[in-house]
Amino acid sequence: MPTHVLLLVLLSALMHASWNAIVKSGENKLEEAGLVAGAAAVMSALVLPFVELPASASWPWVITSAAVHQIYFMLVAAAYRAGDMGHTYPLMRGTAPLIVALVSAEVLGETLTIASWAGIGLICGGILLLAVHRHANNRATLIAVANAMVIAFYTVVDGTGVRLSGNALAYVLWLNLLSGIPIFLLVLLRDRPKVLGMMRTSGLTATIGGACKFGAYSLALWAMTQAPVAAIAALRESSVLFGVAISALILRENSGTRRIVTAALIAAGAATLRLA
């Protein structure tokens, strides 16, 4: 994996953890997710007039992904209502790349090297070590694992779609637009006064979250055109390091010494993918 691709995926990881922390920190998780997704949709709409349409072959994929993202947003909100970000975020992000790696050969026609498998295994192993502990909330765990399956599904869909699009930026712009509008309208229709009030009081925060969401997936999907989808999916989940740091330092959630071991495993996995 080229160094510049690795660094941009790590930046994507930081941005992804940041917008998830914004959703977690809000009192109303689903509404926060809707506002963040809505902000990303507005930003995409502003850029779309200056970008060519993606190739027609990619449209079924982007529409499918936009629909699946509605489930993703709702499960993200449910997971953060049920448990700490320090537990649910690693589970959601750590399990998905393993699923992607297991199906990538059959679905995407990608053959991973032994070194790539080792890197993916180190990253996912470190993440899951962080997430699984005896004090875990069972409901939060189930929701997080269910969302990991959703994440794996849309990752494979988007990994295919963005390669067919001929234009990674156009693909992600349309994806943000088509996935952001429905969830925003849903929360608006559920409680219009609350959402309008949140837009007035935390509109800037939602805008920052939307920018992070937009940038994070834009970089990730572009990277999937440069390297195997399974490798990018695993490396992107180094966002867990940022997520755990945010959960401990900003959200004041309890974190144990396993963070050091997790950091070492993920760093080793990233280095292995770089050399694979």
Side-chain angles (χ1 to χ4, degrees):
M1 185 182 299
T3 302
H4 70 282
V5 174
L6 183 144
L7 292 175
L8 288 174
V9 175
L10 291 178
L11 175 60
S12 166
L14 173 60
M15 297 172 82
H16 190 278
S18 298
W19 80 257
N20 271 257
I22 287 173
V23 173
K24 172 59 181 174
S25 64
E27 182 178 347
N28 306 291
K29 314 302 183 193
L30 185 58
E31 285 76 9
E32 290 287 353
L35 288 177
V36 167
V42 170
M43 294 174 194
S44 298
L46 293 175
V47 180
L48 274 173
F50 307 99
V51 179
E52 293 183 2
L53 286 171
S56 58
S58 69
W59 280 103
W61 301 95
V62 72
I63 292 170
T64 299
S65 180
V68 173
H69 267 79
Q70 306 312 302
I71 303 171
Y72 165 71
F73 291 132
M74 289 185 278
L75 288 177
V76 164
Y80 290 156
R81 282 195 301 269
D84 287 346
M85 182 177 177
H87 170 62
T88 53
Y89 188 74
L91 265 182
M92 287 188 287
R93 308 312 308 186
T95 310
L98 282 176
I99 301 172
V100 173
L102 290 171
V103 304
S104 62
E106 186 69 27
V107 177
L108 300 175
E110 294 181 347
T111 301
L112 297 174
T113 64
I114 293 176
S116 293
W117 274 109
I120 292 168
L122 286 168
I123 291 173
C124 295
I127 291 168
L128 294 177
L129 174 66
L130 180 68
V132 179
H133 55 89
R134 67 179 184 273
H135 301 299
N137 181 297
N138 290 333
R139 175 176 168 78
T141 298
L142 289 174
I143 295 171
V145 171
N147 209 19
M149 296 179 185
V150 174
I151 292 167
F153 182 74
Y154 77 61
T155 299
V156 172
V157 168
D158 288 333
T160 304
V162 73
R163 291 177 175 184
L164 294 172
S165 70
N167 187 327
L169 177 60
Y171 184 93
V172 77
L173 287 170
W174 279 104
L175 176 59
N176 271 304
L177 182 66
L178 295 177
S179 64
I181 290 175
I183 190 66
F184 174 73
L185 291 178
L186 172 66
V187 299
L188 187 64
L189 292 173
R190 285 178 77 237
D191 196 333
R192 183 184 179 90
K194 179 194 289 186
V195 172
L196 292 178
M198 290 174 65
M199 291 176 68
R200 288 191 293 270
T201 58
S202 58
L204 178 59
T205 302
T207 301
I208 294 172
C212 288
K213 179 182 179 300
F214 172 79
Y217 210 38
S218 297
L219 291 173
L221 287 185
W222 170 81
M224 288 178 190
T225 67
Q226 308 296 310
V229 172
I232 296 300
L235 182 59
R236 184 174 178 243
E237 307 321 343
S238 58
S239 60
V240 168
L241 289 179
F242 302 116
V244 170
I246 291 169
S247 75
L249 300 176
I250 298 177
L251 302 180
R252 301 299 181 184
E253 297 175 355
N254 292 327
S255 296
T257 56
R258 281 179 298 174
R259 281 187 298 163
I260 299 174
V261 178
T262 297
L265 288 172
I266 293 175
T272 302
L273 286 177
R274 169 64 184 87
L275 299 173

